[in-house]
Amino acid sequence: MAYITQYCRIQNRMLLRQGSVIYSNLAGDLDTFLDTALTALSIYYPKFYKMDRLSKLGFLAAEVLLRDLELMNRYSPQQVAVVLSNAHSSLDTDIRYFETTKTIASPALFVYTLANIVTGEICIRHGIKGENAFFISEEFDPQGMCEYVDLVLAAKKTKACVAGWVDVMGDQHDVFLYLVEKQGNKFSLDHSPAQLQKLYDLKYGTVDGRSQKTDH
Amino acid sequence: MEQLMEDLKRQIIEALNLKHLKPEDIGDEQPLFVEGLGLDSIDALELIVLLQQHYSIKMANPQDGPQIFKSVKTIAEYIRANQTT
């Protein structure tokens, strides 16, 4: 048995941890939200501005997810895995890169034309060196993700796994990142497809600029 | 030369997404790579693109990159020596 010990969400330009809004910026576009979120979270990481939207979303979600957990003090780099998934792969950046090829192709965009680059950015930031995988599916697949993460955790060396859904296409974005650990705590939830679906389906809308949580 | 270096600083910040910097943060002779601004190999490729886009200069020999891209001043000198218009 494994446990979901932390989860976070980015949707509708709102950043949430355990269901609470950490930061939101409803004015402007997704790019504005991403850059202002970094400042609001008091993170100094110049390389962030070079990342594509997919990596920025994954990076921010991982920052919020792992903040104050001292994960890398509890586990060795090889004991932490990363398993991510999405629907649009790196298509958002692929299209932007393709546009540059009509004049002079951008090397800086080219390096982000792979979905799993976001995994690399998270691993570099947090010093994670364990197993990793990236899956493409039409929608968040709690059954498939749960089975694969359980499989990764069944390996003796893996003790924890950063997992979830990081998807972006244009201004449309949807992020659900969670931490699964072999060892639970009093706040942890069972790692099961039903639990993942429940957490993913929590919807956050806005009413008069205020955040509102609605369960479905 | 002064104006060219100012233009270059703005163009480098924009092309390399150095949003944490202002032109005045970059010294004329400050190293751009490793211990200076910390640029990497992908940034070097973007600088080659920048020369082509803004100054119509195609670097004949990429091996010269480390010398040309040493600082804003060395890039400006290279542009002065190679710009035809």
Side-chain angles (χ1 to χ4, degrees):
Chain A
M1 170 59 81
Y3 302 91
I4 301 166
T5 53
Q6 195 75 239
Y7 62 93
C8 80
R9 202 85 167 85
I10 302 178
Q11 56 179 179
N12 302 325
R13 279 172 273 148
M14 283 191 288
L15 186 47
L16 307 103
R17 186 189 195 195
Q18 309 286 87
S20 300
V21 179
I22 301 288
Y23 176 74
S24 71
N25 185 345
L26 307 177
D29 55 14
L30 176 61
D31 293 317
T32 305
F33 165 76
L34 293 168
D35 288 356
T36 55
L38 187 80
T39 310
L41 294 171
S42 304
I43 300 164
Y44 181 76
Y45 198 72
K47 193 172 184 281
F48 179 84
Y49 299 111
K50 294 172 181 286
M51 296 178 195
D52 69 344
R53 290 176 183 146
L54 184 66
S55 289
K56 284 182 176 179
L57 282 164
F59 178 93
L60 280 175
E63 283 296 306
V64 170
L65 183 79
L66 303 179
R67 183 167 271 197
D68 305 325
L69 292 186
E70 298 190 339
L71 189 75
M72 303 316 288
N73 287 338
R74 290 190 282 130
Y75 302 116
S76 72
Q78 287 79 11
Q79 288 177 326
V80 183
V82 181
V83 179
L84 301 177
S85 58
N86 78 5
H88 290 95
S89 183
S90 58
L91 195 58
D92 182 63
T93 301
D94 296 348
I95 291 168
R96 290 172 62 211
Y97 171 71
F98 179 69
E99 286 302 313
T100 71
T101 63
K102 292 172 182 171
T103 52
I104 303 172
S106 165
L109 277 177
F110 176 72
V111 296
Y112 286 99
T113 56
L114 272 177
N116 61 355
I117 301 300
V118 57
T119 307
E121 296 290 8
I122 292 170
C123 289
I124 289 168
R125 171 66 169 169
H126 298 281
I128 296 169
K129 294 180 181 174
E131 297 289 326
N132 72 78
F134 199 109
F135 297 101
I136 312 294
S137 56
E138 283 186 17
E139 55 188 25
F140 178 60
D141 174 13
Q143 184 74 40
M145 283 296 289
C146 191
E147 283 175 10
Y148 192 83
V149 170
D150 278 343
L151 201 64
V152 169
L153 288 170
K156 206 174 176 185
K157 73 166 186 179
T158 308
K159 306 285 184 199
C161 182
V162 174
W165 178 260
V166 185
D167 193 44
V168 64
M169 190 64 210
D171 255 21
Q172 298 299 312
H173 56 283
D174 186 24
V175 181
F176 170 45
L177 217 61
Y178 51 93
L179 179 66
V180 184
E181 295 180 79
K182 278 181 176 169
Q183 197 83 44
N185 58 48
K186 60 179 176 179
F187 302 111
S188 57
L189 304 164
D190 288 348
H191 180 233
S192 69
Q195 188 63 63
L196 289 174
Q197 188 71 63
K198 192 177 166 190
L199 293 177
Y200 178 77
D201 285 345
L202 289 174
K203 297 288 184 194
Y204 298 89
T206 58
V207 177
D208 299 332
R210 289 174 288 122
S211 66
Q212 183 191 44
K213 178 178 166 183
T214 52
D215 288 86
H216 290 271
Chain B
M1 191 71 166
E2 285 298 317
Q3 186 57 52
L4 178 56
M5 288 196 288
E6 285 308 302
D7 291 344
L8 269 172
K9 288 173 188 175
R10 276 188 287 102
Q11 289 157 356
I12 288 171
I13 287 170
E14 191 186 337
L16 274 49
N17 276 316
L18 305 173
K19 290 185 181 177
H20 61 297
L21 293 178
K22 295 188 181 82
E24 55 268 32
D25 296 330
I26 306 173
D28 296 346
E29 297 184 51
Q30 181 182 359
L32 296 178
F33 291 84
V34 194
E35 82 274 24
L37 282 189
L39 303 187
D40 58 24
S41 56
I42 301 300
D43 294 319
L45 293 173
E46 283 293 338
L47 289 176
I48 293 173
V49 171
L50 187 153
L51 286 181
Q52 207 171 330
Q53 272 182 333
H54 291 275
Y55 301 97
S56 304
I57 295 173
K58 263 192 169 180
M59 274 179 64
N61 187 2
Q63 305 291 331
D64 297 335
Q67 276 307 311
I68 296 165
F69 298 135
K70 208 171 173 183
S71 68
V72 170
K73 191 179 177 189
T74 57
I75 300 173
E77 287 168 348
Y78 179 75
I79 292 170
R80 275 288 160 86
N82 290 276
Q83 208 169 21
T84 50
T85 52

